[in-house]
């Protein structure tokens, strides 16, 4: 089992950058794939990015590809989401989620993740 806690959200102007962190507890953190999702009030939760347990594979939503970068430091039990070129439509609550490492492909559906954080608010002003 793993517990995840997000941090790093805030208010930023369009075109700016933020780095979110997902800190995890548990000695087996390196056995989990970690994903970021986001949700706007009244809308469905949306996949953003995922990184494999080793950090060797990543996958992004088309809406953030080329602007966001997901990475992990297993020695620190932390996954990062570096967000550049932020746009007002990136405004949402961002959630970190974990699941035991996948086989041949990374998962992008929220119902495939077992452990979730409380979320961190990102607001991009125009």
């Amino acid at each position: 089992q793993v517990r995840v806690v997000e941090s790093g959200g805030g208010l930023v102007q369009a075109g700016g950058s933020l780095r979110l962190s997902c800190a995890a507890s548990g000695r087996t953190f390196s056995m989990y794939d970690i994903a970021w999702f986001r949700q706007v009030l009244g809308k469905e939760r949306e996949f953003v990015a995922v990184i494999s347990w080793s950090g060797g594979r990543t996958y992004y939503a088309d809406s953030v590809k080329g602007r966001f970068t997901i990475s992990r430091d297993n020695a620190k039990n932390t996954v990062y989401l570096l967000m550049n070129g932020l746009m007002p439509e990136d405004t949402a609550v961002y959630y970190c989620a974990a699941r035991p490492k996948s086989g041949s492909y990374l998962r992008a559906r929220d119902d495939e993740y077992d452990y979730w954080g409380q979320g961190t608010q990102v607001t991009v002003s125009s």
Side-chain angles (χ1 to χ4, degrees):
Q1 188 169 354
V2 64
R3 178 173 176 265
V4 293
V5 178
E6 306 92 337
S7 63
L11 173 64
V12 64
Q13 288 188 332
S17 299
L18 279 176
R19 189 179 77 161
L20 305 183
S21 296
C22 172
S25 62
R27 293 178 294 175
T28 59
F29 172 72
S30 61
M31 303 294 286
Y32 288 81
D33 295 341
I34 305 292
W36 287 96
F37 290 81
R38 64 188 182 186
Q39 189 170 24
V40 176
L41 189 63
K43 296 188 176 181
E44 291 188 354
R45 194 153 44 191
E46 175 189 21
F47 167 77
V48 175
V50 58
I51 188 165
S52 65
W53 61 277
S54 67
R57 291 179 293 149
T58 58
Y59 176 66
Y60 297 90
D62 287 344
S63 58
V64 306
K65 201 174 295 182
R67 299 187 299 122
F68 291 11
T69 302
I70 190 170
S71 62
R72 69 190 294 162
D73 184 341
N74 284 345
K76 296 182 178 180
N77 278 14
T78 303
V79 168
Y80 304 99
L81 184 68
L82 176 60
M83 306 185 293
N84 294 323
L86 282 162
M87 302 183 292
E89 48 264 48
D90 294 316
T91 295
V93 177
Y94 282 70
Y95 296 91
C96 174
R99 58 162 284 129
K101 61 180 181 179
S102 302
S104 58
Y105 66 97
L106 299 172
R107 312 300 175 97
R109 283 172 38 189
D110 59 358
D111 61 356
E112 296 179 295
Y113 285 81
D114 303 308
Y115 306 102
W116 291 82
Q118 82 291 345
T120 185
Q121 176 71 47
V122 171
T123 303
V124 184
S125 63
S126 57

